[in-house]
Amino acid sequence: MAKARSQFVCQQCGASFSKWAGRCENCGEWNSLVEQVVSSGGSSVVDKSAGRGKVLKTSSIREAASESGLERLSTGIDDLDAVLGGGFLVGGVVLVAGQPGIGKSTLLAQVAAHIAKSKSVLYVSGEESVSQVKLRAERLGAADSEKMQLASSNSAEDIAASIQQGGYDLAIVDSVQTISLSEISSAPGSVSQITNSSNVIIRAAKASGTAVILVGHVTKEGSIAGPKILEHLVDVVLNFEGDRYGGFRVVRAQKNRYGSTNEAAIFEMDEQGLRIVKNPSAELLAERQNLDGSIVLATMEGARPLLVEIQALVNPTNFGYPKRTASGFDLNRLNLLVAVLEKRTKLKLADKDIYVNVVGGLKLNDPAADLAVAMAIASASAGRSLDEGAVVFGEIGLGGEVRSATNWQARIKEAKKLGFTYAIAPKVHKDKFIKGVSDMRQALIDYLQ
């Protein structure tokens, strides 16, 4: 008879140890080891399974069935369909991750209500009761469909059986961190539970041809909670980003086996739920005042050009060590730009507190935002403003040179559409709309009034 023994498994990397420790020796995370009970048999798995495999049935690439002609389920939101590559694919598994309160359940309730007008939908909640899910659907005006079935369960076996035998076109599981398998002794949300529960549901989705959406939580660092293998198991990973207290929310594909990862859908929350922002550039700049420290950046949100305001505030520090704070912009990149400004220009920022904000709650990952951030800091420090008709973009090197930016034609096209008269951009881009600069010092001297 197999004996039960305990081992300690890291909830970050999945490494197992015979005894508990405060820090995982494999990944270095603190307080991540959790005790799990496992059974030990007499012989190894390799010995038992030796010689039992079957020869795989193969087919030529010409004979293989193609998925290009399979029907996709439209979400009813054109921009979200574009992010998904055309909608939910039959048998595809999508992982939607985001911060608590960002609007994941709200968006999925709206999507489920639209699809349920013509297809059968199963919504399984492991966090809320059926009545609580119904209250949200009623608030969003999505509680009239007969084809939308609700359930509340934390059992991965029950959910998989319902998906495989229920004949649903779409199944939503909210969330994967709350479900568990009965044969595994660890708590829901652990590495083993997330991995095995997800595998059971994914196999059921592939076998029944049901499109499945798994809702995932994120850690305080912003990464998806649980093992990294979860992102490898699913077909599409959608990140829901933004400020849950206001501003825009952005849905972008981090991984997509069926489409591009360059698309993004921009939403705004109102009383009727999440709505697509038709012209985000105009809304982001609607309340802008042309003061010192304010620069308009022409950036790219996926494949979409976007104009966003960069704000900077520079004050003398009251302490020995100056403070650097950035909202929506990488803090390490900000420190690098401050160092380049001090080295390549006459600005003295060593005794100044610097605050940078990206208006609208957006998070910028665009290297071409460097020039706009640097000009915003210089503008706030010198008390000089930029002309109202100017937009800025360009990457800055350590030598202070302004380097080329991708998709620069789309950026200036968006700027022209909103009435801007010229762009301060890298000199290598040849266009009548662009006033080219070769380095950061030239941009500050020529255009800050």
Side-chain angles (χ1 to χ4, degrees):
M1 183 176 179
K3 296 182 180 179
R5 62 183 180 88
S6 294
Q7 67 178 6
F8 296 87
V9 180
C10 176
Q11 302 305 293
Q12 298 296 325
C13 65
S16 59
F17 304 92
S18 59
K19 61 181 181 179
W20 184 88
R23 185 181 186 184
C24 174
E25 296 178 0
N26 186 48
C27 65
E29 290 290 329
W30 288 92
N31 300 321
S32 63
L33 300 188
V34 175
E35 184 178 9
Q36 296 182 11
V37 179
V38 296
S39 59
S40 57
S43 60
S44 67
V45 176
V46 176
D47 293 335
K48 288 182 179 181
S49 60
R52 294 189 180 182
K54 295 182 180 179
V55 178
L56 296 175
K57 181 181 178 182
T58 63
S59 61
S60 69
I61 191 169
R62 292 183 178 180
E63 298 171 348
S66 174
E67 294 184 347
S68 60
L70 293 179
E71 179 187 1
R72 287 181 180 263
L73 301 177
S74 174
T75 63
I77 304 172
D78 293 339
D79 289 15
L80 186 57
D81 284 342
V83 173
L84 291 166
F88 297 113
L89 190 67
V90 173
V93 181
V94 178
L95 175 64
V96 180
Q99 297 177 1
I102 197 72
K104 302 185 297 295
S105 299
T106 299
L107 177 62
L108 294 180
Q110 293 177 231
V111 170
H114 173 79
I115 296 177
K117 293 177 181 178
S118 58
K119 305 288 184 179
S120 58
V121 177
L122 172 65
Y123 193 112
V124 182
S125 177
E127 303 174 347
E128 301 171 300
S129 65
V130 171
S131 59
Q132 289 175 318
V133 177
K134 181 183 178 182
L135 284 174
R136 181 189 298 111
E138 289 178 341
R139 177 174 59 85
L140 299 173
D144 298 331
S145 177
E146 293 292 334
K147 293 188 176 182
M148 183 171 171
Q149 303 295 314
L150 304 180
S152 179
S153 175
N154 297 107
S155 171
E157 296 97 334
D158 296 346
I159 297 173
S162 301
I163 292 173
Q164 191 161 356
Q165 301 177 14
Y168 298 102
D169 296 290
L170 174 67
I172 299 173
V173 181
D174 188 3
S175 65
V176 70
Q177 276 82 12
T178 61
I179 60 176
S180 61
L181 286 170
S182 58
E183 61 188 32
I184 299 178
S185 60
S186 59
S190 62
V191 170
S192 56
Q193 285 287 13
I194 292 177
T195 303
N196 290 281
S197 299
S198 301
N199 264 314
V200 169
I201 294 174
I202 291 170
R203 285 199 299 268
K206 302 297 182 183
S208 62
T210 303
V212 172
I213 305 175
L214 301 177
V215 179
H217 297 165
V218 297
T219 63
K220 60 184 179 180
E221 290 83 14
S223 59
I224 300 175
K228 196 69 176 177
I229 192 173
L230 176 61
E231 300 176 46
H232 294 283
L233 291 174
V234 300
D235 301 311
V236 181
V237 178
L238 298 184
N239 278 345
F240 211 152
E241 304 172 353
D243 186 0
R244 61 177 177 172
Y245 299 110
F248 292 160
R249 289 97 188 273
V250 181
V251 177
R252 59 165 59 91
Q254 178 180 326
K255 168 191 174 182
N256 193 348
R257 289 175 179 163
Y258 311 127
S260 171
T261 56
N262 293 326
E263 300 291 342
I266 301 177
F267 294 89
E268 188 174 30
M269 183 73 78
D270 58 19
E271 295 179 354
Q272 282 73 42
L274 288 165
R275 67 172 182 88
I276 282 289
V277 181
K278 297 297 182 182
N279 192 345
S281 297
E283 294 200 22
L284 285 169
L285 301 178
E287 301 178 12
R288 177 177 179 257
Q289 298 180 356
N290 190 29
L291 303 174
D292 58 275
S294 174
I295 301 292
V296 177
L297 164 69
T299 186
M300 298 296 297
E301 190 61 54
R304 172 187 295 182
L306 190 67
L307 301 188
V308 60
E309 181 185 1
I310 305 293
Q311 293 179 330
L313 181 64
V314 178
N315 277 332
T317 184
N318 294 320
F319 305 97
Y321 187 78
K323 188 174 183 179
R324 310 280 191 255
T325 303
S327 175
F329 190 75
D330 183 56
L331 184 59
N332 292 326
R333 192 66 182 175
L334 173 61
N335 289 327
L336 184 147
L337 292 175
V338 171
V340 174
L341 275 169
E342 283 196 300
K343 182 69 175 179
R344 306 302 176 188
T345 69
K346 295 182 179 180
L347 288 176
K348 303 299 180 183
L349 302 172
D351 58 345
K352 301 290 193 301
D353 292 335
I354 300 175
Y355 306 89
V356 173
N357 176 48
V358 180
V359 174
L362 297 178
K363 293 182 179 179
L364 297 180
N365 297 313
D366 185 7
D370 289 352
L371 183 58
V373 172
M375 291 190 71
I377 294 172
S379 171
S381 177
R384 298 177 181 178
S385 60
L386 189 65
D387 185 67
E388 286 189 3
V391 296
V392 179
F393 63 89
E395 183 181 356
I396 293 178
L398 295 182
E401 73 277 13
V402 179
R403 297 177 175 268
S404 60
T406 59
N407 298 315
W408 61 272
Q409 297 96 336
R411 298 173 195 257
I412 63 175
K413 184 178 180 181
E414 181 75 6
K416 289 178 181 177
K417 187 171 69 174
L418 291 183
F420 287 87
T421 55
Y422 67 94
I424 302 173
K427 198 172 184 178
V428 295
H429 301 318
K430 304 298 183 182
D431 192 277
K432 294 180 180 179
F433 188 78
I434 292 178
K435 294 187 177 181
V437 291
S438 58
D439 57 56
M440 182 176 56
R441 186 173 182 179
Q442 178 189 352
L444 302 183
I445 293 174
D446 292 350
Y447 298 106
L448 283 183
Q449 303 171 356

